[in-house]
Amino acid sequence: MTESSTSGDLLTTLRETVARLAPGDRLPSSRELIRRHNVSPVTVSRAIAQLSAEGVVVTRPGSGTYVSVRTRAADAPDTGWQTVALADRAVDTGSLGPPPEGTIALDGGYLHRSLQPTRALAAALARAARRPDAWDRAPSNGIAALRAIFAGMAGEVSPDEVMITAGGQSSLSMAFRGIVAPGAPVLVESPTYPGALAAARAAGLRPVPVPVDGDGVRPDLLADAFAMTGARLFYCQPTYQNPAGFVLSTDRRRQVVEVARAAGAFVLEDDFARFLSHSSTTPRPLLADDRDGTVVYLTSLTKPAAPSLRIGALIARGPVLERLRAVRLVDDFFVARPLQEAALELLSSPAWDRHVRTLATELRDRRQALAAAIAAELPDWSITAMPAGGLHLWVSLPAGADCQAVADAARQRGVAVSAGRRFFPTEPPAAHLRLGFAATATRADLATAVRQLSSVDPT
């Protein structure tokens, strides 16, 4: 039996025990729990810590663990005043909360644990922890060796133009707040990443959609949007775009940068999928061919490695970099040095290259498995394009379908999917779902999920 399953069994038992006791009653001692349930001291400590975090029990050093005194509803704090104080500024993440236990996750944006380089991560963290300066303050821009690696990924970039961040979402937040003034418009692809829409709106910006087709954003419509709105920033994902999966064509890559430069605006290039190709090649970033500081670039290790490796990079040239550095100092000073050192160890090891190659094959196989299941079970659903990288398929539903109704019904059948309307800054032109293929435990789960989806009425 694994440590995690043993801990879960003990938690269940202790919750049943607490339910039979009165507030203030003492639980059996740790020694008694170890003997009675034949578990390790670590398992007992974890179970008690979990119950304590939930407020079920309280621990008193030197005395024991006791059932918490349950607060009466009448004694609950009155926080109604906060509604008035917070006024009408809301941060909408569109989250439905965690799905029920056992749900097959086709809405996930991270790799399943089985796809993560957990051994390499553990080894990297162990090596990083042994460094004599591991707990020293890190430079605000990030440690030099890690900045050099990110500079090499992006092309002909100086490490001095790189700033290490706490992942892609942190980079987005800093960029939106640093580059554009509150109340201003920001141009975005339509559809686009909902986390970017949320970050832009939280910064007080107004997302303005620019349509895309199979080759990416349309430069002619981008030029029109700059002219109509006076926007000074365009946010885009040119490589394996989330959710549609397209790659901005070679000609359009040059045109997009030229259009932005002519408008006196920046391009915020989100290269989240740099290590998520389904083959051995990935297109060059827009930044690699930009010499005038038009492109501000961000990337992250979170998607290709693990959710808690919150390490990313912002790359910029000129005064905008100084602005972003100032925002960083106001926000959090620097990213924790042990995590930076661990990322450096990981990226410098042969295990990282092996992981990226293995991941490419697995993602390609999973993409094919999900696409084949959709073709067999849901012939009326249409995959807009087979992506050459990334973690998702973008699926068009039949005419008259309600994507949110489909997502809600799927959740009731034990499958979590992402309703397409979340990916549009304004009214969606049609009904879509984003279906992920990297967050499930096995490829067989993908087929099971699609069978469940086939029983959903799309209207």
Side-chain angles (χ1 to χ4, degrees):
M1 183 176 293
T2 66
E3 182 71 28
S4 60
S5 62
T6 303
S7 181
D9 293 341
L10 182 59
L11 269 173
T12 300
T13 301
L14 289 180
R15 288 193 176 101
E16 293 172 352
T17 300
V18 168
R20 294 193 297 267
L21 298 175
D25 285 353
R26 186 176 184 274
L27 269 67
S29 67
S30 295
R31 182 175 298 177
E32 175 62 18
L33 292 173
I34 292 168
R35 184 194 63 78
R36 184 183 302 176
H37 300 285
N38 192 27
V39 294
S40 70
V42 171
T43 298
V44 172
S45 296
R46 288 177 177 172
I48 295 298
Q50 178 65 36
L51 293 177
S52 179
E54 295 172 2
V56 176
V57 301
V58 292
T59 56
R60 299 171 187 168
S63 176
T65 303
Y66 298 82
V67 179
S68 296
V69 177
R70 298 170 179 82
T71 304
R72 294 177 300 166
D75 296 332
D78 180 7
T79 58
W81 66 274
Q82 294 185 4
T83 300
V84 177
L86 291 171
D88 60 351
R89 273 199 73 207
V91 179
D92 181 14
T93 63
S95 175
L96 295 175
E101 187 74 22
T103 299
I104 300 176
L106 300 189
D107 63 340
Y110 298 111
L111 300 179
H112 187 268
R113 187 180 299 123
S114 62
L115 300 180
Q116 298 168 17
T118 50
R119 289 187 179 179
L121 281 166
L125 192 59
R127 291 194 299 271
R130 290 196 293 269
R131 292 178 178 269
D133 58 352
W135 294 99
D136 289 354
R137 172 172 176 159
S140 60
N141 290 346
I143 58 178
L146 185 58
R147 288 189 284 113
I149 289 180
F150 277 111
M153 293 178 189
E156 297 178 12
V157 174
S158 166
D160 293 336
E161 297 167 336
V162 179
M163 183 172 67
I164 302 302
T165 66
Q169 198 65 28
S170 174
S171 297
L172 282 174
S173 179
M174 284 194 289
F176 284 136
R177 288 181 292 119
I179 298 174
V180 190
V186 56
L187 306 185
V188 299
E189 296 165 326
S190 182
T192 191
Y193 169 50
L197 295 176
R201 288 168 176 147
L205 308 183
R206 296 183 290 108
V208 177
V210 182
V212 300
D213 59 24
D215 290 323
V217 68
R218 290 179 51 182
D220 58 333
L221 296 181
L222 179 64
D224 290 345
F226 273 126
M228 292 172 60
T229 64
R232 290 294 177 264
L233 180 64
F234 169 50
Y235 166 76
C236 62
Q237 297 175 306
T239 304
Y240 314 136
Q241 195 254 14
N242 178 11
F246 63 70
V247 173
L248 187 62
S249 67
T250 302
D251 289 344
R252 289 189 181 184
R253 286 173 174 258
R254 174 181 50 80
Q255 293 172 35
V256 163
V257 176
E258 289 177 351
V259 166
R261 186 183 297 121
F266 292 98
V267 173
L268 180 56
E269 179 182 11
D270 185 348
D271 198 18
F272 77 100
R274 173 71 9 201
F275 293 105
L276 297 177
S277 173
H278 299 170
S279 65
S280 59
T281 60
T282 301
R284 285 162 57 88
L286 300 184
L287 178 74
D289 299 311
D290 170 49
R291 295 292 175 269
D292 300 320
T294 299
V295 178
V296 176
Y297 174 92
L298 68 93
T299 191
S300 169
L301 299 179
T302 305
K303 299 293 187 184
S308 285
L309 188 62
R310 308 301 299 179
I311 291 290
L314 268 171
I315 303 178
R317 297 183 175 96
V320 69
L321 178 58
E322 297 307 313
R323 174 73 61 81
L324 294 172
R325 286 171 175 167
V327 174
R328 133 63 45 77
L329 290 174
V330 170
D331 274 2
D332 57 8
F333 292 114
F334 57 89
V335 176
R337 185 163 195 139
L339 203 57
Q340 291 193 58
E341 297 283 5
L344 176 60
E345 290 283 352
L346 178 67
L347 293 175
S348 303
S349 71
W352 177 250
D353 289 335
R354 289 195 299 269
H355 165 66
V356 172
R357 290 195 300 270
T358 302
L359 181 61
T361 300
E362 182 63 28
L363 291 179
R364 183 176 65 248
D365 291 346
R366 284 171 173 247
R367 178 200 67 192
Q368 292 299 115
L370 181 57
I374 292 172
E377 301 283 350
L378 294 161
D380 292 337
W381 294 20
S382 173
I383 299 171
T384 56
M386 286 294 283
L391 308 174
H392 315 100
L393 293 181
W394 185 236
V395 178
S396 298
L397 298 180
D402 183 331
C403 64
Q404 189 59 58
V406 172
D408 293 343
R411 199 177 179 94
Q412 294 175 0
R413 288 164 172 79
V415 181
V417 300
S418 297
R421 68 178 57 171
R422 294 182 54 226
F423 299 83
F424 293 91
T426 57
E427 296 81 5
H432 295 82
L433 293 179
R434 192 193 70 173
L435 304 180
F437 45 78
T440 61
T442 66
R443 272 176 267 170
D445 289 336
L446 299 174
T448 300
V450 172
R451 281 196 297 273
Q452 293 295 95
L453 290 175
S454 67
S455 66
V456 173
D457 181 358
T459 59

